[in-house]
Amino acid sequence: MSHPAKASEFLQDAAKAKWHDETLWFVRDKRDTISKTIPEWEQLRDLASQIKDNVLANLDQYLIQFEEKAKANGIQVHWARDAEEHNQIVLGILQRHQCKAIVKSKSILTEECHLNPYLEKNGIEVVDTDLGERIVQFLNQPPSHIVLPAIHLKKKDISELFHEKLHTEKGNEDPAYLTHAARLHLREKFLGAKVAITGVNFGVAETGEFVVCTNEGNADMGVHLAVVHIACMGIEKIIPRRKDLGVFLRLLARSATGQPITNYNSHFRSPASGKEIHIVLVDNGRTDQLGREKFKNSLKCIRCGACMNTCPIYRRSGGYSYGSVVPGPIGSILSPGLDVKKYSTLPFASTLCGSCTDVCPVKINIHEQLYEWRQEITKSQGTNAKSISMKIANGIFAVPFAYKVTGSMMRGALKFLPDSITYSGLNTWGKQRDLPETPKETFKDWYKKNRS
């Protein structure tokens, strides 16, 4: 998987890339505006980070406490070591209830576990009920953003897709009209489903309840109409106390979309009479990440997407250029922990400007972890063309005479070399840029001439 290659594909449509960049910056700007209305914003970030520090330091205890409380509330708790176990547990529940179709609200974890194709392979119809998720599901695409799944598509694209899939009026791009058509389509699916699957934003150790945050109410619709609710939760989503929600809910929506709070913050504590709630607690590499001292803070993430909205690389290269379920800066420090060889280019897809760290609501040191991953990956790759060139450059920069001679030779060569050589495939930097004009003299020569 090569981020530069995928980014090049995205940038072939310059107009779309520009629109994508501007749209995400608009969301980032909304985040900035609304955060300034909270005088204690930075204190909230500090407190959220400290709560998460406490969780990571005592994760085993909080998980045991959550399990005990949840079971006492009548929730059936399952543990999954990895994606395969998670998928098998979910399929087993569906088979016990002879269920052939489910509705599912947004869940990054189920995307991470590739639940949809697994269930479909086993004869289960899966309907994603978040509007953006349903759009990309129609296209057989994964989400390109963890909060805005179809941000890479324009109204025209969605209008054409709905005309094909939902038989809407051809050429009608009115958002209200398209949303109404989706609502009618999904209502039918809600009414026919025996089982609903959701993700989990927060699991409360103190009470054994869990919280699902949505803007569309699709999670609530699915869960309340279904007989069985399956909630899929990464083990890092635990928080100690219910009152801690007051910190995280104030940060989440403001950081994600620039709104005061998500429209629906639904608490699930125990099943209604005649119904079942199952929660699947999933590791899938999280314990390994917790054991990496330099990278464990990445597990604080509350999946707001703020780092993506601000990142100049993500905004200009699109979510699919990352080849991972979680793209952008946070994905670039999580994904190498799962497969460092496959995702080795992601930590280099960054300017290390630190904007991601500045907007993170739980103060993850994202840009520092990106730098650390670069060191780890470079060490693991051993000797290659890049490392050899760096050693040569180091030798030249270390010796003033060698630096002077090499600089003089290169300035002379650049004046006469044809563009076919200067801008060959070896000069990646020059793909979309012209080299600056070669100076007539060095600063050192100029200084000697003009020092008096």
Side-chain angles (χ1 to χ4, degrees), residues 12-66:
Q12 286 176 4
D13 188 339
K16 187 173 183 179
K18 184 175 185 293
W19 167 81
H20 188 268
D21 176 24
E22 292 172 348
T23 301
L24 285 166
W25 185 255
F26 171 74
V27 181
R28 156 69 206 266
D29 195 46
K30 286 176 64 184
R31 174 260 176 209
D32 289 352
T33 300
I34 200 164
S35 67
K36 288 180 175 64
T37 66
I38 309 294
E40 66 275 23
W41 180 256
E42 290 305 318
Q43 289 93 323
L44 280 173
R45 291 180 68 214
D46 283 331
L47 184 54
S49 182
Q50 291 163 14
I51 292 169
K52 283 291 189 176
D53 280 333
N54 175 262
V55 167
L56 296 181
N58 302 281
L59 185 58
D60 55 340
Q61 298 173 40
Y62 285 130
L63 286 169
I64 291 169
Q65 182 185 9
F66 176 81

Side-chain angles (χ1 to χ4, degrees), residues 8 22-23 79 87 91 103-104 135 147 167 172 186 196 207 215 228 250 256 262 281 294 311 334 356 378 426-427 446:
S8 295
E22 292 172 348
T23 301
W79 296 85
N87 294 345
L91 179 63
V103 289
K104 182 165 75 70
I135 288 167
V147 175
H167 310 296
N172 192 330
L186 290 170
T207 62
N215 274 327
V228 179
R250 294 182 75 193
T262 41
L281 302 174
K294 294 177 181 176
C311 178
L334 290 171
C356 48
T378 302
L426 295 173
N427 183 9
W446 177 90

Side-chain angles (χ1 to χ4, degrees), residues 207-430:
T207 62
E209 69 189 288
F210 59 91
V211 180
V212 181
C213 306
T214 68
N215 274 327
E216 299 172 21
N218 53 306
D220 301 80
M221 177 75 79
V223 165
H224 292 307
L225 289 173
V227 177
V228 179
H229 175 189
I230 304 173
C232 306
M233 174 179 139
I235 56 173
E236 82 285 9
K237 293 297 182 72
I238 287 285
I239 59 173
R241 304 160 300 183
R242 178 186 278 175
K243 72 176 185 179
D244 297 328
L245 286 168
V247 176
F248 290 101
L249 292 179
R250 294 182 75 193
L251 289 165
L252 178 59
R254 288 179 170 90
S255 297
T257 55
Q259 64 190 94
I261 196 166
T262 41
N263 292 334
Y264 300 88
N265 296 293
S266 306
H267 297 239
F268 298 96
R269 186 162 180 168
S270 58
S273 177
K275 296 190 175 185
E276 296 178 13
I277 296 179
H278 298 256
I279 188 161
V280 187
L281 302 174
V282 185
D283 187 326
N284 201 38
R286 287 159 175 78
T287 300
D288 292 337
Q289 190 78 336
L290 184 62
R292 299 182 179 107
E293 188 62 31
K294 294 177 181 176
F295 307 112
K296 67 180 183 181
N297 274 356
S298 60
L299 294 174
K300 292 180 179 180
C301 178
I302 59 172
R303 301 297 193 270
C304 68
C307 61
M308 300 172 200
N309 302 336
T310 197
C311 178
I313 305 299
Y314 175 86
R315 296 199 321 264
R316 291 169 174 85
S317 63
Y320 295 142
S321 65
Y322 291 80
S324 59
V325 172
V326 181
I330 186 65
S332 297
I333 60 177
L334 290 171
S335 299
L338 296 173
D339 190 333
V340 69
K341 187 175 181 181
K342 179 178 179 182
Y343 298 114
S344 62
T345 62
L346 296 190
F348 297 89
S350 169
T351 63
L352 299 183
C353 64
S355 185
C356 48
T357 301
D358 289 343
V359 301
C360 177
V362 289
K363 291 200 165 183
I364 301 171
N365 57 331
I366 301 174
H367 72 292
E368 293 175 354
Q369 292 190 44
L370 287 167
Y371 174 79
E372 292 293 348
W373 268 120
R374 290 183 184 189
Q375 310 314 302
E376 297 290 331
I377 290 165
T378 302
K379 287 176 192 173
S380 69
Q381 289 176 339
T383 302
N384 54 33
K386 185 175 181 180
S387 64
I388 292 170
S389 66
M390 289 297 103
K391 286 177 182 176
I392 293 171
N394 182 59
I396 293 170
F397 290 138
V399 181
F401 179 73
Y403 178 77
K404 180 180 178 180
V405 172
T406 306
S408 178
M409 290 171 58
M410 289 303 297
R411 285 193 300 277
L414 285 172
K415 288 178 182 179
F416 301 105
L417 283 174
D419 285 354
S420 59
I421 295 177
T422 304
Y423 297 102
S424 67
L426 295 173
N427 183 9
T428 306
W429 190 90

Side-chain angles (χ1 to χ4, degrees), residues 84-132:
E84 184 179 0
E85 278 194 10
H86 164 270
N87 294 345
Q88 289 171 351
I89 289 167
V90 173
L91 179 63
I93 297 169
L94 297 179
Q95 289 175 336
R96 285 197 297 277
H97 288 85
Q98 299 180 330
C99 177
K100 290 295 182 182
I102 61 105
V103 289
K104 182 165 75 70
S105 66
K106 188 185 294 177
S107 166
I108 302 302
L109 177 63
T110 60
E111 293 288 342
E112 176 188 325
C113 295
H114 305 291
L115 179 65
N116 284 20
Y118 179 85
L119 293 181
E120 288 164 354
K121 183 180 174 183
N122 284 277
I124 310 292
E125 180 191 4
V126 180
V127 177
D128 282 310
T129 59
D130 174 271
L131 180 54

Side-chain angles (χ1 to χ4, degrees), residues 134-141 152-153 157 161 165:
R134 188 57 172 159
I135 288 167
V136 294
Q137 187 180 35
F138 275 147
L139 292 167
N140 294 313
Q141 295 177 348
H152 59 291
L153 299 171
D157 302 322
L161 177 68
K165 300 290 185 179

